[in-house]
Structure formats: structure tokens, C-alpha cells
Amino acid sequence: SKEHFEEAMVAREERQIDAAATGFWKALEADPLNYHAHVHYQESALAAGDPLSEIKADYDKFIEDYPAQVCFKLHRLRLEGTEPRLEALAKFVKSHAKFADVHLEVGRAHLARGEAKPAVAALTKALALKTGTRGDILVMLAEAEHAAGKTDDAMKRLDAAVKAKPAAFEARLVLARLQLLSSMAEPSAANADVVIKQRPSYLAAFLIKSEALVQLGKEDEARDALSSAYRINKEINEVVLAYADLWARMETDASYQQATKLYGEVLERDEESYRALYGLGWVLERLEKYEEAEEKYREVAGIKPNSVAAINSVGYVLFKQGRVSEAQVQFKRALDLDRTFVSAQTNLGATLDAPAKYSDAIK
């Protein structure tokens, strides 16, 4: 079971979802009581597109084979909607108040419904019952605290945990991500680097490290980090897009060519990847190919009609083509969606400044 679980974890870290689901299932066949394998199996199988009805049937069989095991009932509940799930879990809390996994699942259900405070309360109970022995509870509690606006508390808890147990790579990666979100780029990059040394296949760690390095103004090092991730697996769109973005930021003819190639790789796999289309539009805009950039930005706006960035970009390339009134329509559309979007405000001002409508431009 441990061997299959480890193989599945590597596949999961490399975003090989089908292989991860298969590996976790093999781990469960060897050890049906492996709690973590059940959680990861469900996540991977659903992400791989396995029919929900078939996964539910698997868990109905587990319950039939192990009627005394509460865990299988909890695993089965995880496949239900949040309302019936929370109602059923409330009954489990009454009958199994000292069972950490019940409180863990209550916290998971509240998080799924976007309810951070009750999630924190449930997960705090779970951690108190399993202090120091369950990294999954610790990590989920940190996520809940972050969602509840208590990111500093979450980071302190995770920092203490990784100091006590340096091998806790998942907790360290969550810490690195929260540090990145809190503009603590230097410790974020350092923690992500530790995870990479521990788990060289963990693509998410490369992404966090590269973004932290960008924040630190070390874009060459960021590209080196993503180059390693790109070599691990060129089929993961998230990695290729991040790599392409870094090339585009260099703003040279050679780097634009490399970025265009990478965005193209993503679009070959997913022609509606709005991030690849937007990136390609961004490059074309800087090459002053405004009509082609307009086409890409309009495609993004078609896929994501409420994207103020895409609508604003359509307006900008229209303005650069001298189509001022059409550009104004796009900037006003963007501002109807978000009055605080500064780029659309300044761009609209520029379209008013051009025909000498100065008082309107000043506003």
C-alpha cells in the first residue's frame, strides 16, 4: 500500500491525474483503511472525469464490507452535496464527538460551502484530538484560517509545524503559498525550494518559487526554476503558461518568439485556454500587431464575458488603431463591471484627451 501510495503521490505532484487515481486505488486495494488514500483517490478520480455514480458505488461496497467502520461512511458522505452532508455529519458529531475524522469532515464541508469560521472551529477540535499526528488536519485548518482572514495565525502554525517536522512537505508548501500571498517573497521562495529538494516532482512548488522570485526581481532565476518544471512535464498547461509569461516579460524579439511558441503549445491542447489567448494577445500588442491582438483579446472576452482585463485590452488595441469611439465603448463596459479598474479609467481618460475633451478626461 505504501509503495502504491507513494507512486500515486508522485503522479499527483506531476499533475498526472489518471495515473494518480489508479495508484491511489491500488493503495486502497492493498489497505482499505488508508484514510489519506481515500481522500486523494476521490479527488483524483473526480478530476480525471470518472463518473460520480461509479465512485459512489465503490464506497457503498466499502460500507457493505466494513459496516463497523465509521470512516467509510464519512468517505461516502464526501461525495454528497454540502447540505445533506452537513446534516448527516451533525448526527455523527453527537455520536462520535471524540473522533477527529468527524470534525475534519465537518470542517471540509464548511470550507466547500465557503464558510470559513465554522470550518476553523471544527478543524480546531479535530487538531486538538490528534495534535501532532495528522498533517492533513493542520493543512486544512491553515486554509480555513486564511479564508477567515487569519493568515498570520495560519503561517505561525505552519511555521511551527515544519520546524518540528522538517519532512512535512505539504504543510511547508501551503506555508510558502500563504507567504507569497502575503508578499513575503523571500521566505516563500526558500520554503518552496526546500519542498523541491524533498519532492523534485512537485510542480506546484516550482510555480510558487518562480512567482516569489519574480516578486524579488529575480526573473532569470524564476525562468530557470520554470525551465526545470517544464522539463519534468511539458503537458501541464499551468506550467507552460507560467513559463511563457516569464519569457514574454523579457520584452525582446527572441523572448516574444519563445513565448508565442509556448502559448501555441497550450492552445494545441486547449483552443479555449483564455490565459494562453490573453498571453498571445499581450505579445502581439507589444509587437504592434494590433488587429491580431484584438482578435485574441476578443476570443478571451467571448470565453470570459465578465473579464474586465480582456474587455479593457480590446479597448486599448482599438484605441491604438485609431478607433477611438469603439475603444470608449469597451472601456465603459469594463467600468460597468468594475468601477475601480484603474487601467480602464486611465484608458478612457486617454480617449477623451485625444479629441480635446479635457474636462471629461480630467474626471
Side-chain angles (χ1 to χ4, degrees):
S1 177
K2 288 181 179 179
E3 182 179 340
H4 290 308
F5 185 84
E6 180 59 24
E7 289 173 356
M9 285 293 286
V10 170
R12 175 174 172 263
E13 290 160 11
E14 292 180 350
R15 310 289 174 87
Q16 302 291 336
I17 303 301
D18 289 340
T22 300
F24 288 126
W25 182 255
K26 288 180 179 177
L28 293 177
E29 288 181 319
D31 179 11
L33 299 179
N34 187 328
Y35 196 95
H36 297 96
H38 281 285
V39 176
H40 291 318
Y41 163 69
Q42 288 185 0
E43 291 173 348
S44 302
L46 290 169
D50 291 1
L52 179 60
S53 58
E54 292 183 11
I55 303 173
K56 286 182 176 181
D58 289 335
Y59 281 89
D60 289 337
K61 186 68 167 61
F62 276 122
I63 292 170
E64 182 183 330
D65 292 343
Y66 300 89
Q69 286 287 343
V70 175
C71 280
F72 289 113
K73 295 173 185 176
L74 296 177
H75 293 315
R76 176 63 175 78
L77 275 176
R78 204 181 299 119
L79 299 168
E80 297 294 340
T82 52
E83 288 298 334
R85 183 173 164 193
L86 281 168
E87 288 177 13
L89 286 169
K91 296 176 183 176
F92 276 106
V93 169
K94 290 179 181 178
S95 57
H96 297 81
K98 294 184 178 180
F99 194 29
D101 291 328
V102 172
H103 298 289
L104 168 62
E105 294 305 325
V106 171
R108 195 193 306 273
H110 279 299
L111 266 183
R113 201 161 66 169
E115 298 171 344
K117 288 185 178 180
V120 169
L123 292 164
T124 300
K125 289 180 183 177
L127 192 64
L129 292 165
K130 286 282 186 181
T131 303
T133 62
R134 287 287 293 274
D136 56 337
I137 299 174
L138 174 72
V139 166
M140 193 170 294
L141 175 56
E143 296 284 6
E145 287 177 324
H146 171 61
K150 298 180 178 180
T151 303
D152 287 345
D153 290 345
M155 289 192 293
K156 287 176 184 176
R157 191 186 303 277
L158 290 168
D159 189 53
V162 298
K163 284 177 180 174
K165 188 179 179 182
F169 62 90
E170 289 187 309
R172 189 182 293 276
L173 190 60
V174 174
L175 174 59
R177 181 167 58 79
L178 294 183
Q179 289 171 329
L180 182 63
L181 292 172
S182 301
S183 299
M184 299 168 61
E186 193 164 345
S188 175
N191 277 312
D193 197 46
V194 172
V195 175
I196 290 168
K197 289 182 173 68
Q198 293 172 329
R199 309 287 296 191
S201 63
Y202 216 147
L203 291 178
F206 286 99
L207 292 171
I208 290 172
K209 179 181 177 181
S210 67
E211 188 58 36
L213 289 169
V214 167
Q215 285 190 15
L216 291 168
K218 299 178 179 180
E219 294 203 351
D220 288 342
E221 292 180 41
R223 271 190 299 278
D224 289 343
L226 282 179
S227 177
S228 300
Y230 181 70
R231 285 195 298 271
I232 291 171
N233 199 319
K234 298 180 180 182
E235 303 300 314
I236 305 302
N237 287 349
E238 187 180 0
V239 172
V240 181
L241 287 167
Y243 195 33
D245 290 345
L246 280 175
W247 278 108
R249 286 178 194 174
M250 287 181 69
E251 301 194 44
T252 67
D253 288 343
S255 68
Y256 287 148
Q257 186 176 358
Q258 179 67 9
T260 298
K261 171 182 171 292
L262 292 165
Y263 290 131
E265 288 179 15
V266 174
L267 290 169
E268 283 180 10
R269 290 190 289 270
D270 178 8
E271 62 183 15
E272 291 195 345
S273 169
Y274 67 90
R275 276 194 59 200
L277 288 166
Y278 192 89
L280 202 49
W282 193 90
V283 169
L284 290 165
E285 177 191 319
R286 276 144 189 81
L287 292 172
E288 299 185 1
K289 297 180 179 181
Y290 298 123
E291 290 184 12
E292 294 176 55
E294 177 193 345
E295 179 185 337
K296 299 305 176 188
Y297 287 145
R298 286 191 184 276
E299 286 186 61
V300 178
I303 296 166
K304 292 177 72 70
N306 293 328
S307 170
V308 290
I311 295 168
N312 175 67
S313 292
V314 171
Y316 183 76
V317 292
L318 286 170
F319 183 48
K320 297 298 285 187
Q321 294 175 67
R323 296 155 66 183
V324 178
S325 60
E326 292 176 71
Q328 286 177 345
V329 170
Q330 298 300 322
F331 298 140
K332 288 175 181 177
R333 278 184 63 205
L335 291 171
D336 284 341
L337 291 168
D338 183 358
R339 295 299 303 173
T340 67
F341 195 68
V342 174
S343 183
Q345 290 173 338
T346 56
N347 286 335
L348 180 58
T351 66
L352 295 165
D353 181 49
K357 294 182 179 179
Y358 299 129
S359 61
D360 291 336
I362 289 168
K363 290 177 186 178

